[in-house]
Amino acid sequence: DTAVSQTPKYLVTQMGNDKSIKCEQNLGHDTMYWYKQDSKKFLKIMFSYNNKELIINETVPNRFSPKSPDKAHLNLHINSLELGDSAVYFCASTQEGYGYTFGSGTRLTVV
Amino acid sequence: EDQVTQSPEALRLQEGESSSLNCSYTVSGLRGLFWYRQDPGKGPEFLFTLYSAGEEKEKERLKATLTKKESFLHITAPKPEDSATYLCAYEPGGTSYGKLTFGQGTILTVHP
């Protein structure tokens, strides 16, 4: 009965590869997010989708492409992975008037 | 530029030793100020949302307060299980709904 679930939890890959991270929420929230937590532990927003529509797109390289097939799912595809992409990526969801619920994170290591 | 700063970066307490964490922010038009707890290897866990200066919220040993410039997270008689990183974040008003900006966090360690 996990509220926001992400897969995989760990991802180790070589530079130049393409990878995807999946996120699903069973809270019925309308809005979903991708956040990146770097080595200094700062959490920064990357994207936000509201009911499958992109509403926030921060300054993120074009190699990152979010996709929302329905309001319960938000996936993140990353092309041509670079060493600097290594971080923990968190999915989150929210509904107006409620707090944000985060997933447990995907630790991406690019070697 | 809107920003949020947390202090101290790290805090070590003895069990039962009460203290406070600070979150100061510079933003025009605050929609909400959030406090989260993050344990190692896990995602942030929601604690509180504060919406207006003077507001206070409590949960067990934690109490969050908000002024026009800063927020405090007071920890009363902490226990070792309160050890975690505490994050604050603000959500600006207007068209930036949903765009949380986080501080760098305060790492709290409570020794038995």
Side-chain angles (χ1 to χ4, degrees):
Chain A
D1 59 345
T2 304
V4 180
S5 59
Q6 298 178 227
T7 55
K9 188 170 177 63
Y10 300 97
L11 186 54
V12 181
T13 187
Q14 291 186 328
M15 285 175 54
N17 283 350
D18 303 338
K19 291 293 179 184
S20 293
I21 306 171
K22 296 185 176 182
C23 178
E24 177 182 3
Q25 56 97 0
N26 61 5
L27 299 167
H29 289 170
D30 287 333
T31 308
M32 296 184 70
Y33 307 83
W34 280 111
Y35 280 81
K36 178 180 180 180
Q37 189 168 42
D38 59 24
S39 58
K40 295 185 177 181
K41 304 300 183 184
F42 269 105
L43 266 165
K44 292 186 178 180
I45 190 168
M46 300 174 68
F47 301 103
S48 170
Y49 268 77
N50 182 273
N51 203 9
K52 301 194 296 177
E53 180 183 351
L54 181 66
I55 57 172
I56 293 176
N57 185 351
E58 288 298 286
T59 307
V60 177
N62 291 336
R63 300 180 293 103
F64 290 79
S65 55
K67 283 187 172 54
S68 180
D70 55 60
K71 78 171 195 177
H73 295 84
L74 180 61
N75 303 322
L76 183 65
H77 188 75
I78 315 169
N79 290 325
S80 303
L81 278 155
E82 301 177 357
L83 291 176
D85 298 331
S86 296
V88 182
Y89 292 85
F90 287 98
C91 177
S93 71
T94 191
Q95 184 83 0
E96 179 79 38
Y98 295 88
Y100 294 73
T101 303
F102 283 81
S104 57
T106 295
R107 181 173 293 277
L108 172 65
T109 304
V110 183
V111 298
Chain B
E1 181 182 334
D2 297 341
Q3 61 180 4
V4 56
T5 304
Q6 291 187 245
S7 61
E9 290 189 12
L11 181 63
R12 299 164 69 95
L13 300 173
Q14 288 297 125
E15 184 171 2
E17 179 186 2
S18 300
S19 188
S20 295
L21 312 182
N22 177 265
C23 171
S24 62
Y25 60 92
T26 55
V27 59
S28 53
L30 180 75
R31 183 184 179 96
L33 189 291
F34 298 79
W35 281 98
Y36 283 86
R37 167 192 173 128
Q38 186 174 24
D39 293 297
K42 296 189 176 181
E45 176 188 345
F46 172 74
L47 294 175
F48 305 106
T49 308
L50 302 167
Y51 294 102
S52 57
E55 188 175 0
E56 297 182 353
K57 289 191 176 175
E58 288 188 68
K59 179 181 179 181
E60 297 181 353
R61 295 178 293 282
L62 300 176
K63 178 180 177 181
T65 61
L66 182 66
T67 71
K68 289 186 178 180
K69 294 289 187 184
E70 56 193 349
S71 178
F72 292 94
L73 185 66
H74 307 278
I75 304 177
T76 303
K79 299 181 178 181
E81 53 262 42
D82 294 323
S83 297
T85 297
Y86 290 85
L87 302 166
C88 77
Y90 72 77
E91 181 183 28
T95 58
S96 296
Y97 165 66
K99 183 179 173 182
L100 290 183
T101 297
F102 282 85
Q104 79 277 24
T106 294
I107 303 170
L108 174 67
T109 306
V110 182
H111 297 283

